[in-house]
Amino acid sequence: MYSSHKRGEQQPSEDALLQCLKDMLLGSVQSPIYLIVDALDESPDTSKVLGTPPSRQMVLDVVKELVELRFSNLHICVASRPEADIRSVFEPLAGFKVSLHDQDGQKEDIANYVHSVVYSDQEQGMKRWKGNVKDLVIKTLSEEANGMYGCPSIFITLVHTVSKVSLGCLSTGNAAEVSYTQCPACAERITQISRRNVSASAEGN
């Protein structure tokens, strides 16, 4: 691959990369190979170029093809939210499936993480919040995180941003709405919490 593409000066095509992967798998039949695909749901499901398939669909097609080749030494692990298009491809193929979204332990871990951050003495932006606001944040994020740490993590980033924004700007909820475009499920609720917290802070001042 390196020599056939001008010693790294030329970018190989996706087809060439896929063929290289297949050749590597065929050349290592005696050794186990583990292929990990993490956060597949974060791969775009819309195409950037007219007439080309979305990135997510291309990854799904590659993984499906590799599974159907039935390499005895190949073990594939895919981590993802259970999006409909992903489930439709993998459910017929998966030899073993583990769902963390509804596991009590996973939910408890997320709730503990959010609680530890919200009540941390190091989080200056949250120290001014009243107890009922903090509890509402913990409850909302724990219930709507859908078994994933992404929502709470984005919210923590939002709080650091919020602490640098004036109350006048923040009262519109724009900071929350913009920062939470990656997490539509929580956007409206977190915007409400931000507005409520700003109102409470303004009344306290």
Side-chain angles (χ1 to χ4, degrees), residues 81 100-119 134 137-156 180 186:
R81 286 185 176 92
L100 298 178
H101 291 74
D102 297 322
Q103 295 294 320
D104 291 338
Q106 177 82 343
K107 295 178 179 179
E108 184 179 353
D109 285 346
I110 293 175
N112 290 339
Y113 165 71
V114 177
H115 185 280
S116 68
V117 175
V118 170
Y119 279 93
K134 292 182 177 181
V137 168
I138 295 170
K139 180 176 184 295
T140 300
L141 290 178
S142 300
E143 290 178 352
E144 299 188 19
N146 197 23
M148 305 294 286
Y149 278 88
C151 295
S153 296
I154 296 172
F155 177 73
I156 301 308
Y180 257 74
C186 292

mmCIF file of all heavy atoms in Angstrom, residues 81 100-119 134 137-156 180 186:
data_model
loop_
_atom_site.group_PDB
_atom_site.id
_atom_site.type_symbol
_atom_site.label_atom_id
_atom_site.label_comp_id
_atom_site.label_asym_id
_atom_site.label_seq_id
_atom_site.Cartn_x
_atom_site.Cartn_y
_atom_site.Cartn_z
ATOM 1 N N ARG A 81 -25.392 3.794 19.700
ATOM 2 C CA ARG A 81 -26.787 3.910 20.115
ATOM 3 C C ARG A 81 -27.625 3.056 19.149
ATOM 4 O O ARG A 81 -27.247 2.866 17.992
ATOM 5 C CB ARG A 81 -27.252 5.367 20.038
ATOM 6 C CG ARG A 81 -26.696 6.260 21.137
ATOM 7 C CD ARG A 81 -27.338 7.651 21.032
ATOM 8 N NE ARG A 81 -26.922 8.525 22.107
ATOM 9 C CZ ARG A 81 -25.886 9.351 22.057
ATOM 10 N NH1 ARG A 81 -25.152 9.387 20.963
ATOM 11 N NH2 ARG A 81 -25.573 10.125 23.071
ATOM 12 N N LEU A 100 -26.695 -1.551 27.021
ATOM 13 C CA LEU A 100 -26.438 -0.866 28.288
ATOM 14 C C LEU A 100 -27.483 0.201 28.597
ATOM 15 O O LEU A 100 -27.526 0.725 29.704
ATOM 16 C CB LEU A 100 -25.058 -0.202 28.252
ATOM 17 C CG LEU A 100 -23.856 -1.135 28.093
ATOM 18 C CD1 LEU A 100 -22.568 -0.312 28.037
ATOM 19 C CD2 LEU A 100 -23.777 -2.130 29.235
ATOM 20 N N HIS A 101 -28.326 0.515 27.621
ATOM 21 C CA HIS A 101 -29.240 1.640 27.780
ATOM 22 C C HIS A 101 -30.224 1.455 28.921
ATOM 23 O O HIS A 101 -30.607 2.413 29.585
ATOM 24 C CB HIS A 101 -29.998 1.883 26.468
ATOM 25 C CG HIS A 101 -29.127 2.406 25.383
ATOM 26 N ND1 HIS A 101 -28.212 1.631 24.722
ATOM 27 C CD2 HIS A 101 -28.999 3.655 24.862
ATOM 28 C CE1 HIS A 101 -27.575 2.365 23.830
ATOM 29 N NE2 HIS A 101 -28.034 3.580 23.882
ATOM 30 N N ASP A 102 -30.638 0.229 29.148
ATOM 31 C CA ASP A 102 -31.645 -0.018 30.176
ATOM 32 C C ASP A 102 -31.075 -0.696 31.416
ATOM 33 O O ASP A 102 -31.819 -1.168 32.263
ATOM 34 C CB ASP A 102 -32.772 -0.893 29.602
ATOM 35 C CG ASP A 102 -33.503 -0.206 28.463
ATOM 36 O OD1 ASP A 102 -33.705 1.023 28.558
ATOM 37 O OD2 ASP A 102 -33.863 -0.880 27.483
ATOM 38 N N GLN A 103 -29.752 -0.755 31.513
ATOM 39 C CA GLN A 103 -29.123 -1.387 32.658
ATOM 40 C C GLN A 103 -29.123 -0.425 33.847
ATOM 41 O O GLN A 103 -28.704 0.725 33.735
ATOM 42 C CB GLN A 103 -27.687 -1.796 32.312
ATOM 43 C CG GLN A 103 -27.595 -2.861 31.235
ATOM 44 C CD GLN A 103 -28.180 -4.183 31.689
ATOM 45 O OE1 GLN A 103 -27.999 -4.608 32.822
ATOM 46 N NE2 GLN A 103 -28.913 -4.843 30.792
ATOM 47 N N ASP A 104 -29.593 -0.914 34.987
ATOM 48 C CA ASP A 104 -29.647 -0.067 36.178
ATOM 49 C C ASP A 104 -28.262 0.425 36.575
ATOM 50 O O ASP A 104 -28.096 1.572 37.011
ATOM 51 C CB ASP A 104 -30.277 -0.836 37.340
ATOM 52 C CG ASP A 104 -31.762 -1.108 37.117
ATOM 53 O OD1 ASP A 104 -32.379 -0.373 36.321
ATOM 54 O OD2 ASP A 104 -32.297 -2.053 37.729
ATOM 55 N N GLY A 105 -27.255 -0.428 36.437
ATOM 56 C CA GLY A 105 -25.899 -0.029 36.804
ATOM 57 C C GLY A 105 -25.384 1.117 35.963
ATOM 58 O O GLY A 105 -24.729 2.036 36.473
ATOM 59 N N GLN A 106 -25.694 1.084 34.660
ATOM 60 C CA GLN A 106 -25.266 2.155 33.764
ATOM 61 C C GLN A 106 -25.955 3.461 34.136
ATOM 62 O O GLN A 106 -25.321 4.520 34.194
ATOM 63 C CB GLN A 106 -25.599 1.777 32.311
ATOM 64 C CG GLN A 106 -25.275 2.845 31.289
ATOM 65 C CD GLN A 106 -23.818 2.841 30.874
ATOM 66 O OE1 GLN A 106 -22.988 2.260 31.553
ATOM 67 N NE2 GLN A 106 -23.512 3.485 29.772
ATOM 68 N N LYS A 107 -27.256 3.398 34.391
ATOM 69 C CA LYS A 107 -27.995 4.602 34.768
ATOM 70 C C LYS A 107 -27.485 5.170 36.093
ATOM 71 O O LYS A 107 -27.362 6.388 36.258
ATOM 72 C CB LYS A 107 -29.485 4.281 34.868
ATOM 73 C CG LYS A 107 -30.135 3.893 33.540
ATOM 74 C CD LYS A 107 -31.600 3.554 33.733
ATOM 75 C CE LYS A 107 -32.258 3.186 32.417
ATOM 76 N NZ LYS A 107 -33.684 2.827 32.587
ATOM 77 N N GLU A 108 -27.183 4.273 37.014
ATOM 78 C CA GLU A 108 -26.684 4.714 38.316
ATOM 79 C C GLU A 108 -25.321 5.385 38.188
ATOM 80 O O GLU A 108 -25.047 6.406 38.834
ATOM 81 C CB GLU A 108 -26.590 3.519 39.263
ATOM 82 C CG GLU A 108 -26.158 3.896 40.680
ATOM 83 C CD GLU A 108 -26.111 2.694 41.596
ATOM 84 O OE1 GLU A 108 -26.527 1.596 41.175
ATOM 85 O OE2 GLU A 108 -25.656 2.848 42.748
ATOM 86 N N ASP A 109 -24.463 4.831 37.330
ATOM 87 C CA ASP A 109 -23.143 5.429 37.116
ATOM 88 C C ASP A 109 -23.264 6.837 36.544
ATOM 89 O O ASP A 109 -22.533 7.751 36.948
ATOM 90 C CB ASP A 109 -22.315 4.560 36.165
ATOM 91 C CG ASP A 109 -21.786 3.307 36.842
ATOM 92 O OD1 ASP A 109 -21.839 3.241 38.089
ATOM 93 O OD2 ASP A 109 -21.335 2.393 36.128
ATOM 94 N N ILE A 110 -24.175 7.005 35.575
ATOM 95 C CA ILE A 110 -24.368 8.324 34.976
ATOM 96 C C ILE A 110 -24.899 9.314 36.005
ATOM 97 O O ILE A 110 -24.430 10.456 36.107
ATOM 98 C CB ILE A 110 -25.319 8.231 33.768
ATOM 99 C CG1 ILE A 110 -24.655 7.445 32.637
ATOM 100 C CG2 ILE A 110 -25.731 9.619 33.274
ATOM 101 C CD1 ILE A 110 -25.549 7.194 31.441
ATOM 102 N N ALA A 111 -25.871 8.870 36.799
ATOM 103 C CA ALA A 111 -26.436 9.742 37.836
ATOM 104 C C ALA A 111 -25.370 10.140 38.856
ATOM 105 O O ALA A 111 -25.298 11.300 39.277
ATOM 106 C CB ALA A 111 -27.603 9.038 38.536
ATOM 107 N N ASN A 112 -24.523 9.194 39.240
ATOM 108 C CA ASN A 112 -23.453 9.492 40.196
ATOM 109 C C ASN A 112 -22.449 10.473 39.614
ATOM 110 O O ASN A 112 -21.948 11.367 40.314
ATOM 111 C CB ASN A 112 -22.744 8.198 40.613
ATOM 112 C CG ASN A 112 -23.616 7.317 41.488
ATOM 113 O OD1 ASN A 112 -24.569 7.784 42.114
ATOM 114 N ND2 ASN A 112 -23.300 6.034 41.539
ATOM 115 N N TYR A 113 -22.148 10.300 38.308
ATOM 116 C CA TYR A 113 -21.212 11.206 37.655
ATOM 117 C C TYR A 113 -21.768 12.632 37.628
ATOM 118 O O TYR A 113 -21.070 13.592 37.985
ATOM 119 C CB TYR A 113 -20.929 10.710 36.230
ATOM 120 C CG TYR A 113 -20.258 11.739 35.348
ATOM 121 C CD1 TYR A 113 -18.931 12.098 35.554
ATOM 122 C CD2 TYR A 113 -20.959 12.349 34.307
ATOM 123 C CE1 TYR A 113 -18.311 13.050 34.746
ATOM 124 C CE2 TYR A 113 -20.346 13.292 33.495
ATOM 125 C CZ TYR A 113 -19.028 13.636 33.718
ATOM 126 O OH TYR A 113 -18.427 14.574 32.917
ATOM 127 N N VAL A 114 -23.026 12.763 37.209
ATOM 128 C CA VAL A 114 -23.632 14.096 37.142
ATOM 129 C C VAL A 114 -23.701 14.721 38.531
ATOM 130 O O VAL A 114 -23.385 15.897 38.722
ATOM 131 C CB VAL A 114 -25.041 14.020 36.518
ATOM 132 C CG1 VAL A 114 -25.696 15.392 36.516
ATOM 133 C CG2 VAL A 114 -24.972 13.471 35.098
ATOM 134 N N HIS A 115 -24.085 13.921 39.527
ATOM 135 C CA HIS A 115 -24.195 14.425 40.901
ATOM 136 C C HIS A 115 -22.839 14.922 41.401
ATOM 137 O O HIS A 115 -22.743 15.994 42.022
ATOM 138 C CB HIS A 115 -24.720 13.312 41.809
ATOM 139 C CG HIS A 115 -24.983 13.764 43.226
ATOM 140 N ND1 HIS A 115 -23.973 13.891 44.167
ATOM 141 C CD2 HIS A 115 -26.137 14.117 43.857
ATOM 142 C CE1 HIS A 115 -24.489 14.302 45.305
ATOM 143 N NE2 HIS A 115 -25.786 14.454 45.152
ATOM 144 N N SER A 116 -21.785 14.159 41.119
ATOM 145 C CA SER A 116 -20.456 14.536 41.609
ATOM 146 C C SER A 116 -19.987 15.847 41.002
ATOM 147 O O SER A 116 -19.309 16.641 41.662
ATOM 148 C CB SER A 116 -19.447 13.415 41.322
ATOM 149 O OG SER A 116 -19.216 13.291 39.921
ATOM 150 N N VAL A 117 -20.352 16.090 39.728
ATOM 151 C CA VAL A 117 -19.931 17.323 39.071
ATOM 152 C C VAL A 117 -20.781 18.505 39.524
ATOM 153 O O VAL A 117 -20.261 19.579 39.843
ATOM 154 C CB VAL A 117 -20.013 17.174 37.533
ATOM 155 C CG1 VAL A 117 -19.698 18.499 36.855
ATOM 156 C CG2 VAL A 117 -19.038 16.107 37.053
ATOM 157 N N VAL A 118 -22.097 18.308 39.572
ATOM 158 C CA VAL A 118 -23.002 19.398 39.947
ATOM 159 C C VAL A 118 -22.725 19.880 41.364
ATOM 160 O O VAL A 118 -22.782 21.076 41.654
ATOM 161 C CB VAL A 118 -24.468 18.952 39.801
ATOM 162 C CG1 VAL A 118 -25.409 19.981 40.416
ATOM 163 C CG2 VAL A 118 -24.813 18.752 38.327
ATOM 164 N N TYR A 119 -22.404 18.971 42.268
ATOM 165 C CA TYR A 119 -22.160 19.332 43.660
ATOM 166 C C TYR A 119 -20.674 19.506 43.973
ATOM 167 O O TYR A 119 -20.291 19.603 45.134
ATOM 168 C CB TYR A 119 -22.773 18.287 44.590
ATOM 169 C CG TYR A 119 -24.254 18.487 44.806
ATOM 170 C CD1 TYR A 119 -25.184 17.831 44.008
ATOM 171 C CD2 TYR A 119 -24.726 19.360 45.783
ATOM 172 C CE1 TYR A 119 -26.553 18.023 44.188
ATOM 173 C CE2 TYR A 119 -26.089 19.560 45.971
ATOM 174 C CZ TYR A 119 -26.993 18.884 45.167
ATOM 175 O OH TYR A 119 -28.351 19.080 45.361
ATOM 176 N N LYS A 134 -30.145 22.211 41.108
ATOM 177 C CA LYS A 134 -29.138 21.149 40.967
ATOM 178 C C LYS A 134 -29.809 19.784 40.856
ATOM 179 O O LYS A 134 -29.444 18.961 40.013
ATOM 180 C CB LYS A 134 -28.191 21.170 42.160
ATOM 181 C CG LYS A 134 -27.290 22.392 42.228
ATOM 182 C CD LYS A 134 -26.350 22.307 43.424
ATOM 183 C CE LYS A 134 -25.402 23.490 43.462
ATOM 184 N NZ LYS A 134 -24.461 23.419 44.604
ATOM 185 N N VAL A 137 -31.345 19.300 37.446
ATOM 186 C CA VAL A 137 -30.328 18.997 36.439
ATOM 187 C C VAL A 137 -29.940 17.529 36.515
ATOM 188 O O VAL A 137 -29.874 16.825 35.502
ATOM 189 C CB VAL A 137 -29.083 19.887 36.639
ATOM 190 C CG1 VAL A 137 -27.918 19.381 35.792
ATOM 191 C CG2 VAL A 137 -29.402 21.331 36.279
ATOM 192 N N ILE A 138 -29.684 17.042 37.723
ATOM 193 C CA ILE A 138 -29.285 15.637 37.909
ATOM 194 C C ILE A 138 -30.383 14.707 37.420
ATOM 195 O O ILE A 138 -30.128 13.739 36.693
ATOM 196 C CB ILE A 138 -28.966 15.367 39.389
ATOM 197 C CG1 ILE A 138 -27.742 16.184 39.815
ATOM 198 C CG2 ILE A 138 -28.728 13.874 39.632
ATOM 199 C CD1 ILE A 138 -27.488 16.169 41.305
ATOM 200 N N LYS A 139 -31.621 14.995 37.787
ATOM 201 C CA LYS A 139 -32.747 14.140 37.408
ATOM 202 C C LYS A 139 -32.940 14.137 35.890
ATOM 203 O O LYS A 139 -33.113 13.081 35.270
ATOM 204 C CB LYS A 139 -34.024 14.619 38.090
ATOM 205 C CG LYS A 139 -35.265 13.802 37.772
ATOM 206 C CD LYS A 139 -36.459 14.317 38.586
ATOM 207 C CE LYS A 139 -37.692 13.442 38.347
ATOM 208 N NZ LYS A 139 -38.176 13.512 36.959
ATOM 209 N N THR A 140 -32.896 15.332 35.283
ATOM 210 C CA THR A 140 -33.126 15.442 33.837
ATOM 211 C C THR A 140 -32.060 14.712 33.034
ATOM 212 O O THR A 140 -32.365 13.921 32.141
ATOM 213 C CB THR A 140 -33.159 16.923 33.415
ATOM 214 O OG1 THR A 140 -34.210 17.589 34.118
ATOM 215 C CG2 THR A 140 -33.407 17.049 31.916
ATOM 216 N N LEU A 141 -30.795 14.966 33.353
ATOM 217 C CA LEU A 141 -29.718 14.342 32.594
ATOM 218 C C LEU A 141 -29.665 12.840 32.821
ATOM 219 O O LEU A 141 -29.395 12.077 31.898
ATOM 220 C CB LEU A 141 -28.380 14.969 32.970
ATOM 221 C CG LEU A 141 -28.177 16.406 32.501
ATOM 222 C CD1 LEU A 141 -26.847 16.944 32.973
ATOM 223 C CD2 LEU A 141 -28.264 16.497 30.991
ATOM 224 N N SER A 142 -29.927 12.402 34.032
ATOM 225 C CA SER A 142 -29.882 10.969 34.324
ATOM 226 C C SER A 142 -30.979 10.222 33.572
ATOM 227 O O SER A 142 -30.761 9.116 33.071
ATOM 228 C CB SER A 142 -30.023 10.731 35.829
ATOM 229 O OG SER A 142 -28.977 11.356 36.540
ATOM 230 N N GLU A 143 -32.159 10.836 33.477
ATOM 231 C CA GLU A 143 -33.284 10.169 32.834
ATOM 232 C C GLU A 143 -33.197 10.235 31.309
ATOM 233 O O GLU A 143 -33.635 9.312 30.621
ATOM 234 C CB GLU A 143 -34.598 10.807 33.290
ATOM 235 C CG GLU A 143 -34.932 10.519 34.749
ATOM 236 C CD GLU A 143 -36.213 11.199 35.186
ATOM 237 O OE1 GLU A 143 -36.755 12.018 34.402
ATOM 238 O OE2 GLU A 143 -36.675 10.924 36.309
ATOM 239 N N GLU A 144 -32.645 11.309 30.763
ATOM 240 C CA GLU A 144 -32.676 11.515 29.319
ATOM 241 C C GLU A 144 -31.339 11.253 28.632
ATOM 242 O O GLU A 144 -31.200 11.465 27.437
ATOM 243 C CB GLU A 144 -33.147 12.935 29.015
ATOM 244 C CG GLU A 144 -34.557 13.189 29.539
ATOM 245 C CD GLU A 144 -35.114 14.516 29.076
ATOM 246 O OE1 GLU A 144 -34.591 15.075 28.097
ATOM 247 O OE2 GLU A 144 -36.067 14.996 29.694
ATOM 248 N N ALA A 145 -30.361 10.764 29.384
ATOM 249 C CA ALA A 145 -29.066 10.457 28.771
ATOM 250 C C ALA A 145 -29.142 9.237 27.882
ATOM 251 O O ALA A 145 -28.249 8.992 27.082
ATOM 252 C CB ALA A 145 -28.014 10.250 29.857
ATOM 253 N N ASN A 146 -30.198 8.427 28.033
ATOM 254 C CA ASN A 146 -30.394 7.253 27.185
ATOM 255 C C ASN A 146 -29.225 6.275 27.288
ATOM 256 O O ASN A 146 -28.793 5.680 26.308
ATOM 257 C CB ASN A 146 -30.589 7.670 25.728
ATOM 258 C CG ASN A 146 -31.205 6.551 24.891
ATOM 259 O OD1 ASN A 146 -31.865 5.658 25.416
ATOM 260 N ND2 ASN A 146 -30.985 6.602 23.584
ATOM 261 N N GLY A 147 -28.698 6.149 28.518
ATOM 262 C CA GLY A 147 -27.632 5.194 28.742
ATOM 263 C C GLY A 147 -26.276 5.622 28.249
ATOM 264 O O GLY A 147 -25.322 4.858 28.285
ATOM 265 N N MET A 148 -26.139 6.885 27.785
ATOM 266 C CA MET A 148 -24.878 7.346 27.213
ATOM 267 C C MET A 148 -24.343 8.517 28.037
ATOM 268 O O MET A 148 -25.100 9.315 28.577
ATOM 269 C CB MET A 148 -25.081 7.792 25.763
ATOM 270 C CG MET A 148 -25.700 6.736 24.875
ATOM 271 S SD MET A 148 -24.647 5.302 24.613
ATOM 272 C CE MET A 148 -23.443 5.997 23.496
ATOM 273 N N TYR A 149 -23.018 8.623 28.091
ATOM 274 C CA TYR A 149 -22.383 9.695 28.840
ATOM 275 C C TYR A 149 -22.299 10.989 28.033
ATOM 276 O O TYR A 149 -21.910 12.014 28.560
ATOM 277 C CB TYR A 149 -20.969 9.271 29.254
ATOM 278 C CG TYR A 149 -20.941 8.418 30.491
ATOM 279 C CD1 TYR A 149 -21.065 7.032 30.399
ATOM 280 C CD2 TYR A 149 -20.794 8.986 31.747
ATOM 281 C CE1 TYR A 149 -21.038 6.238 31.535
ATOM 282 C CE2 TYR A 149 -20.763 8.197 32.889
ATOM 283 C CZ TYR A 149 -20.881 6.825 32.777
ATOM 284 O OH TYR A 149 -20.867 6.042 33.911
ATOM 285 N N GLY A 150 -22.672 10.950 26.758
ATOM 286 C CA GLY A 150 -22.519 12.116 25.906
ATOM 287 C C GLY A 150 -23.303 13.323 26.380
ATOM 288 O O GLY A 150 -22.784 14.435 26.435
ATOM 289 N N CYS A 151 -24.577 13.111 26.743
ATOM 290 C CA CYS A 151 -25.425 14.240 27.161
ATOM 291 C C CYS A 151 -24.867 14.944 28.392
ATOM 292 O O CYS A 151 -24.711 16.161 28.393
ATOM 293 C CB CYS A 151 -26.847 13.752 27.428
ATOM 294 S SG CYS A 151 -27.688 13.126 25.972
ATOM 295 N N PRO A 152 -24.560 14.215 29.476
ATOM 296 C CA PRO A 152 -23.985 14.890 30.640
ATOM 297 C C PRO A 152 -22.681 15.594 30.321
ATOM 298 O O PRO A 152 -22.427 16.694 30.816
ATOM 299 C CB PRO A 152 -23.764 13.734 31.631
ATOM 300 C CG PRO A 152 -24.753 12.697 31.239
ATOM 301 C CD PRO A 152 -24.827 12.795 29.745
ATOM 302 N N SER A 153 -21.837 14.999 29.501
ATOM 303 C CA SER A 153 -20.545 15.610 29.181
ATOM 304 C C SER A 153 -20.735 16.917 28.430
ATOM 305 O O SER A 153 -20.043 17.906 28.687
ATOM 306 C CB SER A 153 -19.709 14.648 28.337
ATOM 307 O OG SER A 153 -19.407 13.486 29.074
ATOM 308 N N ILE A 154 -21.679 16.933 27.470
ATOM 309 C CA ILE A 154 -21.951 18.163 26.734
ATOM 310 C C ILE A 154 -22.489 19.224 27.680
ATOM 311 O O ILE A 154 -22.149 20.399 27.592
ATOM 312 C CB ILE A 154 -22.962 17.916 25.598
ATOM 313 C CG1 ILE A 154 -22.355 16.958 24.561
ATOM 314 C CG2 ILE A 154 -23.361 19.225 24.919
ATOM 315 C CD1 ILE A 154 -23.341 16.497 23.512
ATOM 316 N N PHE A 155 -23.319 18.797 28.627
ATOM 317 C CA PHE A 155 -23.896 19.747 29.571
ATOM 318 C C PHE A 155 -22.807 20.389 30.437
ATOM 319 O O PHE A 155 -22.850 21.589 30.707
ATOM 320 C CB PHE A 155 -24.913 19.055 30.471
ATOM 321 C CG PHE A 155 -25.481 19.971 31.519
ATOM 322 C CD1 PHE A 155 -26.388 20.952 31.175
ATOM 323 C CD2 PHE A 155 -25.080 19.864 32.837
ATOM 324 C CE1 PHE A 155 -26.897 21.812 32.134
ATOM 325 C CE2 PHE A 155 -25.583 20.713 33.800
ATOM 326 C CZ PHE A 155 -26.489 21.684 33.449
ATOM 327 N N ILE A 156 -21.826 19.593 30.863
ATOM 328 C CA ILE A 156 -20.750 20.139 31.674
ATOM 329 C C ILE A 156 -20.004 21.207 30.879
ATOM 330 O O ILE A 156 -19.640 22.264 31.396
ATOM 331 C CB ILE A 156 -19.778 19.029 32.120
ATOM 332 C CG1 ILE A 156 -20.543 17.960 32.922
ATOM 333 C CG2 ILE A 156 -18.655 19.612 32.948
ATOM 334 C CD1 ILE A 156 -21.376 18.495 34.058
ATOM 335 N N TYR A 180 -26.308 22.646 22.652
ATOM 336 C CA TYR A 180 -26.945 21.343 22.704
ATOM 337 C C TYR A 180 -27.475 20.852 21.362
ATOM 338 O O TYR A 180 -28.283 19.937 21.308
ATOM 339 C CB TYR A 180 -28.080 21.355 23.740
ATOM 340 C CG TYR A 180 -27.631 20.661 24.997
ATOM 341 C CD1 TYR A 180 -26.752 21.283 25.855
ATOM 342 C CD2 TYR A 180 -28.017 19.361 25.283
ATOM 343 C CE1 TYR A 180 -26.296 20.642 26.980
ATOM 344 C CE2 TYR A 180 -27.569 18.716 26.401
ATOM 345 C CZ TYR A 180 -26.712 19.362 27.253
ATOM 346 O OH TYR A 180 -26.243 18.715 28.367
ATOM 347 N N CYS A 186 -32.099 16.359 24.841
ATOM 348 C CA CYS A 186 -31.985 17.118 26.083
ATOM 349 C C CYS A 186 -32.099 18.625 25.884
ATOM 350 O O CYS A 186 -32.208 19.363 26.848
ATOM 351 C CB CYS A 186 -30.647 16.824 26.764
ATOM 352 S SG CYS A 186 -30.485 15.147 27.385
#
